[in-house]
Each structure stands twice: as structure tokens, then as C-alpha cells.
């Protein structure tokens, strides 16, 4: 098979990727097992952990651990076999798809996790389309082979027909459900058979056997062995060969079968992935693409997170390094303001933990204390001026008024709401014509409201009342200033301003948006803000 070019620079040994899936396909479990096999943790946690069990490393937020779901994207960096892995775990729930979208702007490839019984599910397809829009190569891990599954050929056919990519099976499952014992490695011409471990917390012992040795196993009946032999011959006859360039063009996806829960196939996947996944790639910017080999440092903010450390109550901007070398205490230009900022205490992130880092290379993710008010999409650079393309915000579809229960905590309430808005957790709007200053929260999914209330209470000590509004879409409003001043709110359309001062119209139905447009032909309604 055609592999990536031999690395010639340290940056070429970086692998920066995100993991995407439909909820409950096993994304967070696979993340945890990659950390286990990468020796980044000693014992793997459980997504829904009992009190006497470990919790997952990637789900560090209190609400994530309570519900057993990923709410916020997480950065996990660790070394593995001479490479540096930057793993970005993303939320699987559709209500947090905007956070996933932003995170995918910072990766060079993606691992798509499929449930072997369910195949391609709706959220998987949506996230796949985001990857396609961004030109992100995809590697596929078909998970949960330890449970009853569809036939592997049916799953491959679904990838081909639904996603339009040629699937290249790198291994093949030996059985499914209770009789799933391992995977056949097509390149090695033999099978890896595994022993289960207590609570699946530690690395599974594996045995490599050829086909003759496989026939000697008590679990391999003559019928099962014949079926495996038939499948292997069929795959070989199809002549499907891994092609690195076709993977980069999203025409192919390497496919691996396994079980993240029981650890079956995880090591083989990780080894193959670091060998074949792309190193840091060029990034589009104003005036041309920025290459990882360019001399000057450049990077962009793709995520902001507050209160990762409850003791410090700080805010951290996550920066993807795109070119040059990032160094501790360096002075860089903030492209949006033109100001020079000193980056004195950069962090290397590992879930909710952090440590000071002296240097970072293209592909790495650096956490910077957000004392200078960075926003999502901002660019930092040294030397030649660089400005990366902005990261678009999704148009919200759910709206609610948020009220503070304790007027004495108004300062904490305002600070918390502003901080959560800067993270992109929600968008904050204010009714232009309302007498009170109560914020209207705008979100892509309703679960985001629960996250806001939970974090305001846990991180800022503020209890709130949330009242849902019957409105379903919003548009930014642009037009002559004199005309904008004559517009008035009504029950079917609320005129608001966001925290950037831009006017936003919130509509109760598509019909009322159409009617508003017809009544105000000189007004333009935009899906996203045209300035910020």
C-alpha cells in the first residue's frame, strides 16, 4: 500500500485528529482505549462509571460525568512510537454539533466510529458532511463487534452507497457477539486473538496465529473457519488496495473492525493509523495557504473554555499551531486587533489537566490564558502577516429567556453569561424594545440550555429560571440605518441585538420570516453575521 511520505521534520511526526460518531456508538470508549494503548493512562475508565470506578479522561466536566455523555470537545496529547498524538474528542450529541464543527476546523483527519449493529446513523452522516466540506480525510472504526452485528460486507456496502467513499477493509472480524474472538490482519496474513481482562480496564493479551493455528482454536468450528476463508478470498478478489492519495482526497476510507469496550483490535488500529494518517496539512488564509514548513509562527483559536480549573476560575483559548514554532513567552500579533500580545504561560492540555509547555509545533494544540479577550476564530502570528478564515456560527433554532433568581448575584450572573457566550456554548441576545435587561439565550440544541444553567450554578454559584420561547429561527438583519430604527418587535418576531451590537430578528415560524422579508424589501436577512 502507498503510505505517507517519510517524515523529514519533527512536525511531520504529529497526528492531529478528531473522533466523530452518532451518540452511543462508542466514541468516548474508543478515545479512552487509545489513551490506554498509548500508555497515556494506566487504567481505562467507564463512560457511565459507578462510584468505585474510574471516570473517562476525556469527560472531565461535572455534567458529562453525571450523564455519561460528551458535552465539550477535549484535547488529549500523548506520545506514541516516536509520534506525538493530538486527539480531539468531540461531542456526539447533535445539540453540541456546533462545538464539534469548530473542533473539526483544527484537525488533519477524522476517525469515524460506527456501531456494527446500526451502521451509519443520522448524526454520523451530518458530521461526515462537515468533514467533507472541510476536506478532512476519514478513517473508519466499526465498533461493538462484541455484540450481534450486521454482516461486515453489508456495512462496507453502506459506507460505499451512503457516503460515496470506497471502503478499504484493513482487517476482518472473526465472528461477532459472544463468539467474537479477534480480527484477521490482511497485511500480516494472520489473526490476532484476544483474552478479555477484568472490567476491560487494562490492555488485553493478544496472540498472533496463522490460518492453520486459527483452525486449532476450540472456538473456531469448521463452518466458521470456512466462512472466514471465503470472506478473505472474496476481499482479495475485489482488488481494493489502500491508496494514501485517494484517502487524502476522501475517495477512500480505511476500515477497521473491533471492539473498543473489550480492547479487541484497538492496538492494530492505532498502529496502522499513525502510519497512514496525514501529518499537519496547509491551512487556507487570506492571501494564500499557510504551510506547516513556513518560518513564522501562526495559529488560530478554535475553542475557548472557562473554569477548567475550579481553583483559578480562568479562561483558556485553545490554539491550533499551523506553521513555524510556538515558544513560551513569545510575542505574537493578534490579527483581529493588530495588538502585540505576550504568550507567557502556554499549556499542554490533557482532558481537564494541563502543564506548562515551552515549545509546540504545527499540529499541536496550545492552551493560552485568555486574559487578552481572544475570540473563536482569532489569528495569532509572528513575522509575515497572516489571517485565517473565520469560523462560522450556526444559526440557532431554540430560544429561551434566562432570569437570575438572586439579584445580589447580578455580577456573577452577567460574568457567567458573557463567558459562556464567548465559548460558543450559546448566543446571547437582548430584546431591543424590552424594559428589562434579561438575556435571550439562542442555541442550536435544547440541551445547551441545561448546560448553561448547570454551569452557572456549579461554576458561578448562580441559580436561574429558564423560560422557553416559541420561536424557531433567527437571522441577522442588515439594511439602511433609518429603516432599521423604524422596525418594531411583535409576538411573531423579536428584534434583538447580540453582544457584538448586531441586530438579530428571532421568528416564530418560517412563514413569519417570509412575511417580514416581503414587508421590508430593503432589509437583508443573513444566516450568519457579516461582521463581528
Amino acid at each position: 500500500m502507498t503510505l505517507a511520505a517519510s517524515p523529514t521534520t519533527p512536525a511531520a511526526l504529529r497526528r492531529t485528529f478528531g473522533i466523530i460518531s452518532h451518540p452511543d456508538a462508542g466514541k468516548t470508549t474508543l478515545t479512552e482505549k487509545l489513551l490506554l494503548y498509548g500508555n497515556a493512562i494506566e487504567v481505562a475508565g467507564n463512560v457511565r462509571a459507578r462510584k468505585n470506578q474510574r471516570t473517562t479522561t476525556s469527560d472531565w466536566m461535572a455534567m458529562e460525568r453525571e450523564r455519561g455523555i460528551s458535552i465539550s470537545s477535549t484535547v488529549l496529547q500523548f506520545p506514541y512510537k516516536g509520534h506525538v498524538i493530538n486527539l480531539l474528542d468531540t461531542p456526539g450529541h447533535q445539540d453540541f454539533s456546533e462545538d464539534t464543527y469548530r473542533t473539526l476546523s483544527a484537525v488533519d483527519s477524522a476517525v469515524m466510529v460506527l456501531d456494527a449493529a446500526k451502521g451509519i446513523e443520522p448524526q454520523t452522516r451530518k458530521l461526515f458532511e462537515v468533514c467533507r466540506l472541510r476536506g478532512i480525510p476519514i478513517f473508519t472504526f466499526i465498533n461493538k463487534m462484541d455484540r450481534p452485528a450486521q454482516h461486515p460486507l453489508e456495512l462496507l456496502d453502506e459506507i460505499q452507497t451512503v457516503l460515496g467513499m470506497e471502503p478499504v477493509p484493513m482487517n476482518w472480524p472473526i465472528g461477532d457477539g459472544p463468539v467474537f474472538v479477534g480480527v484477521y490482519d490482511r497485511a500480516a496474513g494472520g489473526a490476532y486473538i484476544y483474552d478479555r481482562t477484568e472490567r476491560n480496564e487494562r490492555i488485553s493479551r493478544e496472540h498472533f496465529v496463522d490460518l492453520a493455528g486459527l483452525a486449532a482454536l476450540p472456538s473456531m468450528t469448521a463452518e466458521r473457519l470456512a466462512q472466514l476463508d471465503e470472506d478473505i478470498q472474496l476481499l482479495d478478489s475485489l482488488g481494493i488496495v489502500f491508496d494514501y492519495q485517494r484517502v487524502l482526497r476522501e475517495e477512500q476510507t480505511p476500515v477497521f473492525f473491533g471492539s473498543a469496550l473489550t480492547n479487541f483490535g484497538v492496538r492494530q488500529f492505532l498502529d496502522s493509523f499513525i502510519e497512514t494518517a496525514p501529518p499537519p496539512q496547509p491551512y487556507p488564509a487570506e492571501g494564500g495557504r499557510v504551510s506547516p514548513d513556513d518560518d513564522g509562527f501562526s495559529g488560530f483559536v478554535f475553542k475557548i473554555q472557562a473554569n477548567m480549573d475550579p481553583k483559578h476560575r480562568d479562561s483558556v483559548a485553545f490554539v491550533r499551531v499551523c506553521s513555524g514554532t510556538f515558544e513560551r513567552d513569545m510575542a505574537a500579533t493578534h490579527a483581529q486587533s493588530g495588538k502585540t500580545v505576550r504568550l507567557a504561560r502556554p499549556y499542554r492540555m490533557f482532558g481537564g489537566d494541563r502543564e506548562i509547555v515551552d515549545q509546540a509545533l504545527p499540529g499541536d494544540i496550545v492552551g493560552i490564558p485568555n486574559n487578552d479577550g481572544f475570540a473563536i476564530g482569532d489569528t495569532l502570528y509572528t513575522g509575515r502577516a497572516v489571517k485565517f478564515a473565520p469560523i462560522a456560527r450556526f444559526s440557532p433554532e431554540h430560544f429561551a429567556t434566562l432570569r437570575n433568581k438572586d439579584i445580589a448575584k447580578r455580577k456573577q450572573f452577567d460574568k457567567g453569561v458573557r463567558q459562556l457566550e464567548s465559548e460558543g456554548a450559546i448566543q446571547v441576545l437582548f430584546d431591543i424594545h424590552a424594559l428589562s435587561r434579561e438575556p435571550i439565550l439562542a442555541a442550536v440544541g435544547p440541551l445547551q440550555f441545561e448546560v448553561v444553567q448547570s454551569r452557572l450554578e456549579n461554576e458561578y454559584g448562580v441559580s436561574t429560571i429558564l423560560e422557553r420561547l416559541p420561536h424557531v429561527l433567527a437571522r441577522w438583519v442588515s439594511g439602511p440605518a433609518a429603516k432599521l430604527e423604524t422596525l418594531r418587535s411583535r409576538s411573531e418576531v423579536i428584534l434583538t441585538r447580540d453582544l457584538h451590537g448586531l441586530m438579530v430578528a428571532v421568528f416564530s415560524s418560517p412563514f413569519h420570516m417570509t412575511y417580514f422579508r416581503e414587508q421590508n424589501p430593503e432589509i437583508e436577512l443573513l444566516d450568519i453575521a457579516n461582521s463581528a
Side-chain angles (χ1 to χ4, degrees), residues 250-264:
E250 300 168 271
E251 297 171 3
Q252 272 191 357
T253 177
V255 178
F256 301 81
F257 293 87
S259 166
L261 179 65
T262 62
N263 307 325
F264 291 14

Side-chain angles (χ1 to χ4, degrees), residues 48 66 100 142 187 216 237 248 252 282 293 314 335 362 374 376 388 390 395 456 478 484 489 491 503-504 514 531:
R48 293 176 175 84
E66 290 169 4
T100 299
I142 297 182
S237 68
L248 288 185
Q252 272 191 357
D293 299 329
D314 58 354
F374 299 133
I376 291 171
F388 293 103
S395 180
L456 283 174
S478 178
L484 295 179
S489 295
S491 60
M503 183 179 288
V504 184
T514 301
S531 62

Side-chain angles (χ1 to χ4, degrees), residues 444-501:
V444 174
L447 192 54
Q448 290 175 279
F449 295 143
E450 294 184 43
V451 172
V452 168
Q453 286 190 285
S454 174
R455 291 188 60 189
L456 283 174
E457 185 165 4
N458 292 328
E459 299 172 18
Y460 297 90
V462 176
S463 296
T464 57
I465 299 172
L466 187 127
E467 295 182 5
R468 294 288 300 273
L469 296 173
H471 296 70
V472 296
L473 73 163
R475 294 293 185 268
W476 278 263
V477 180
S478 178
K483 178 61 179 179
L484 295 179
E485 291 176 2
T486 66
L487 298 176
R488 292 291 179 267
S489 295
R490 299 187 298 272
S491 60
E492 65 272 14
V493 53
I494 304 174
L495 296 174
T496 70
R497 290 198 185 279
D498 64 16
L499 292 183
H500 301 290

Side-chain angles (χ1 to χ4, degrees), residues 46-98:
N46 296 276
V47 177
R48 293 176 175 84
R50 299 190 183 117
K51 290 182 180 179
N52 63 339
Q53 292 177 327
R54 288 174 46 81
T55 53
T56 55
T57 306
S58 57
D59 289 343
W60 56 271
M61 196 181 293
M63 190 173 174
E64 291 178 313
R65 293 180 171 178
E66 290 169 4
R67 293 192 173 221
I69 60 173
S70 296
I71 291 173
S72 176
S73 297
T74 305
V75 177
L76 301 145
Q77 186 188 80
F78 59 96
Y80 185 72
K81 292 190 174 181
H83 293 73
V84 174
I85 309 298
N86 293 294
L87 192 165
L88 281 64
D89 182 36
T90 63
H93 198 288
Q94 62 181 5
D95 284 11
F96 306 106
S97 55
E98 190 170 11

Side-chain angles (χ1 to χ4, degrees), residues 15-20 27 31 58 72-78 85-91 99-100 102-111 283 302-303 318-320 363-365:
R15 298 292 182 267
T16 304
F17 66 99
I19 302 186
I20 62 173
K27 173 184 59 62
T31 298
S58 57
S72 176
S73 297
T74 305
V75 177
L76 301 145
Q77 186 188 80
F78 59 96
I85 309 298
N86 293 294
L87 192 165
L88 281 64
D89 182 36
T90 63
D99 191 31
T100 299
R102 290 191 292 265
T103 300
L104 289 175
S105 70
V107 304
D108 300 302
S109 62
V111 174
Y283 263 81
F302 69 92
K303 176 182 173 64
F318 289 70
V319 175
R320 154 75 192 229
D364 288 341
I365 308 299

Side-chain angles (χ1 to χ4, degrees), residues 85-393:
I85 309 298
N86 293 294
L87 192 165
L88 281 64
D89 182 36
T90 63
H93 198 288
Q94 62 181 5
D95 284 11
F96 306 106
S97 55
E98 190 170 11
D99 191 31
T100 299
Y101 178 85
R102 290 191 292 265
T103 300
L104 289 175
S105 70
V107 304
D108 300 302
S109 62
V111 174
M112 178 174 65
V113 182
L114 302 181
D115 185 319
K118 299 176 181 177
I120 298 171
E121 299 176 85
Q123 184 66 2
T124 311
R125 186 165 184 176
K126 288 180 181 178
L127 294 172
F128 166 79
E129 293 299 337
V130 171
C131 290
R132 173 149 284 178
L133 285 171
R134 291 195 167 275
I136 299 171
I138 294 176
F139 294 72
T140 301
F141 186 85
I142 297 182
N143 192 28
K144 298 190 178 182
M145 290 303 303
D146 58 306
R147 302 180 184 181
Q150 295 184 47
H151 192 282
L153 288 174
E154 293 178 357
L155 292 164
L156 296 181
D157 182 65
E158 186 175 16
I159 292 172
Q160 176 81 60
T161 56
V162 175
L163 302 183
M165 292 188 298
E166 180 181 60
V168 185
M170 310 296 281
N171 66 11
W172 200 251
I174 304 174
D176 67 340
V179 295
F180 178 54
V181 296
V183 294
Y184 174 79
D185 188 314
R186 297 184 64 203
Y192 288 96
I193 307 301
Y194 304 89
D195 295 334
R196 296 195 179 218
T197 64
E198 185 178 0
R199 294 195 298 272
N200 303 305
E201 290 180 340
R202 299 187 182 276
I203 291 175
S204 298
R205 189 170 60 178
E206 60 186 48
H207 318 271
F208 183 79
V209 296
D210 57 19
L211 290 179
L214 193 60
L217 295 178
S219 59
M220 289 300 294
T221 64
E223 181 181 1
R224 292 184 65 201
L225 193 62
Q227 181 63 57
L228 176 63
D229 186 60
E230 180 182 329
D231 289 343
I232 293 171
Q233 290 188 40
L234 175 61
L235 292 174
D236 292 342
S237 68
L238 293 175
I240 301 175
V241 179
F242 175 91
D243 186 323
Y244 178 67
Q245 294 301 324
R246 294 193 68 201
V247 172
L248 288 185
R249 295 195 299 267
E250 300 168 271
E251 297 171 3
Q252 272 191 357
T253 177
V255 178
F256 301 81
F257 293 87
S259 166
L261 179 65
T262 62
N263 307 325
F264 291 14
V266 174
R267 183 189 64 78
Q268 289 76 27
F269 166 72
L270 181 57
D271 286 353
S272 181
F273 178 78
I274 65 165
E275 183 183 10
T276 57
Q281 299 293 295
Y283 263 81
E286 291 182 6
R289 297 172 72 82
V290 174
S291 170
D293 299 329
D294 290 350
D295 292 333
F297 156 75
S298 69
F300 65 91
V301 177
F302 69 92
K303 176 182 173 64
I304 292 174
Q305 185 72 53
N307 304 326
M308 295 184 69
D309 184 350
K311 296 178 182 178
H312 295 95
R313 298 295 186 191
D314 58 354
S315 174
V316 177
F318 289 70
V319 175
R320 154 75 192 229
V321 180
C322 297
S323 68
T325 301
F326 175 96
E327 295 182 346
R328 179 182 176 184
D329 207 34
M330 72 187 305
T333 301
H334 178 225
Q336 278 65 29
S337 67
K339 295 180 180 179
T340 298
V341 293
R342 186 162 296 280
L343 309 176
R345 290 182 58 82
Y347 301 115
R348 176 185 294 114
M349 314 304 297
F350 190 79
D353 299 327
R354 64 180 88 171
E355 64 178 9
I356 296 293
V357 62
D358 292 322
Q359 189 179 84
L361 299 176
D364 288 341
I365 308 299
V366 179
I368 299 175
N370 194 22
N371 303 323
D372 295 289
F374 299 133
I376 291 171
D378 283 3
T379 297
L380 294 168
Y381 68 88
T382 62
R384 181 177 68 89
V386 174
K387 191 173 185 180
F388 293 103
I391 300 175
R393 299 205 68 172

